[in-house]
Amino acid sequence: MSKTVRACLLIIGNEILSGRTHDKNLPYLAEQLNELGIRLAETRVIPDIAQTIIDTVNECRAKFDYVFTTGGIGPTHDDITSDCIAEAFGVPLDLNDEAVQLLRSNYANPDVDLNEARLRMARIPRGAELVENPVSKAPGYRMENVYVMAGVPMIMQAMFQGIKHQLVGGRPMISRSVGGYIPEGTIAEALGKIQDEFKNTDIGSYPFLREGKLGTTLVVRGEEQADVDAAITRITDAIIGFGREVIAEDSAS
């Protein structure tokens, strides 16, 4: 049996917690990691509080195979992620020469435009490996199993595409779903028995309301195609057994 490779995403920023900014990085990263056979096992949204960031990074880098952080590496006073990563690893935060040159290349008049605020984006924990930013040049970086990336979705996604070849995963999760015009409460007991029967899968139920009719989408995820297929068949039979209409299933790997 292959090892389950687990990752954690730390979304850093008061703007996320306030609701002012809506995170778009979580669904992208979850999908991309799944394709690599890495399970995004946990996501945390944390504030711009130094000790919270330090403690969370240290906890998660010991607990998970990979940790990804988004946010807090920009040019303003509240961009403190790099300070905290350096503290978490017990290393100095240096003005990185390579990062400075990357930033200089982004400006027509770098001697004027690359001011002190922008130079904050070139402060990198000592020993880190830079992560390329083809959009705006200000790099992310990797410290051991922690990848520090921008919060802006377009930049974060470009950074991830540049580092995903470094990631080693297990077997990708297989996912299939089937729906029915049946309330969760009606199928809950049968669903529990099916989950007990197929312990190597994760079965989730998601209620919906369509055209005034209550229904539930049932999603089965697992590493073995045969287990997923068999569980879907049992769920479909259960919906029919209650005399309810089955909605055409979707399948995806």
Side-chain angles (χ1 to χ4, degrees):
M1 180 178 295
S2 62
K3 175 182 181 288
T4 299
V5 181
R6 301 165 71 244
C8 177
L9 169 62
L10 303 181
I11 302 170
I12 301 170
N14 293 338
E15 68 277 10
I16 301 292
L17 289 167
S18 71
R20 183 177 181 85
T21 300
H22 295 176
D23 176 75
K24 297 180 180 179
N25 293 321
L26 169 55
Y28 173 83
L29 189 63
E31 182 177 332
Q32 290 289 311
L33 291 175
N34 186 60
E35 291 179 0
L36 297 171
I38 300 171
R39 186 177 304 184
L40 185 59
E42 193 169 304
T43 297
R44 303 188 192 184
V45 184
I46 58 177
D48 296 311
I49 297 175
Q51 198 60 53
T52 300
I53 298 171
I54 294 165
D55 291 345
T56 305
V57 167
N58 278 333
E59 176 192 349
C60 292
R61 70 188 180 99
K63 183 178 178 181
F64 298 97
D65 297 290
Y66 296 108
V67 176
F68 301 90
T69 79
T70 60
I73 58 173
T76 61
H77 70 282
D78 58 344
D79 288 311
I80 61 172
T81 296
S82 291
D83 303 78
C84 297
I85 295 292
E87 182 71 21
F89 281 88
V91 299
L93 185 65
D94 296 329
L95 194 63
N96 182 283
D97 290 340
E98 183 181 355
V100 170
Q101 292 307 311
L102 288 168
L103 288 173
R104 287 183 63 86
S105 71
N106 197 46
Y107 299 103
N109 190 355
D111 291 334
V112 174
D113 295 329
L114 189 55
N115 56 28
E116 287 298 315
R118 287 172 173 145
L119 276 173
R120 285 175 56 84
M121 297 185 289
R123 298 179 312 137
I124 307 293
R126 187 175 298 175
E129 173 187 321
L130 297 188
V131 171
E132 182 185 7
N133 169 6
V135 179
S136 62
K137 299 301 182 183
Y141 53 87
R142 178 181 69 84
M143 286 290 289
E144 297 182 7
N145 64 333
V146 178
Y147 287 85
V148 178
M149 298 183 291
V152 178
M154 179 172 64
I155 298 176
M156 177 270 180
Q157 293 174 18
M159 285 181 171
F160 183 81
Q161 289 301 313
I163 58 94
K164 69 178 186 179
H165 68 280
Q166 300 177 1
L167 307 176
V168 179
R171 296 178 63 182
M173 293 290 284
I174 298 163
S175 176
R176 289 187 62 185
S177 63
V178 61
Y181 286 112
I182 183 170
E184 276 189 304
T186 301
I187 199 173
E189 182 178 354
L191 201 63
K193 292 178 180 178
I194 296 169
Q195 179 67 87
D196 289 341
E197 183 180 349
F198 297 95
K199 296 184 184 300
N200 291 330
T201 67
D202 294 321
I203 301 175
S205 63
Y206 307 94
F208 62 78
L209 180 64
R210 297 176 190 167
E211 299 177 348
K213 293 192 293 184
L214 286 172
T216 306
T217 297
L218 293 314
V219 180
V220 181
R221 302 180 73 240
E223 292 184 355
E224 298 291 342
Q225 184 75 57
D227 289 342
V228 173
D229 291 345
I232 282 287
T233 298
R234 292 278 282 107
I235 293 170
T236 302
D237 290 344
I239 296 171
I240 295 170
F242 281 105
R244 303 303 179 104
E245 179 185 352
V246 174
I247 301 171
E249 70 174 70
D250 300 320
S251 63
S253 60

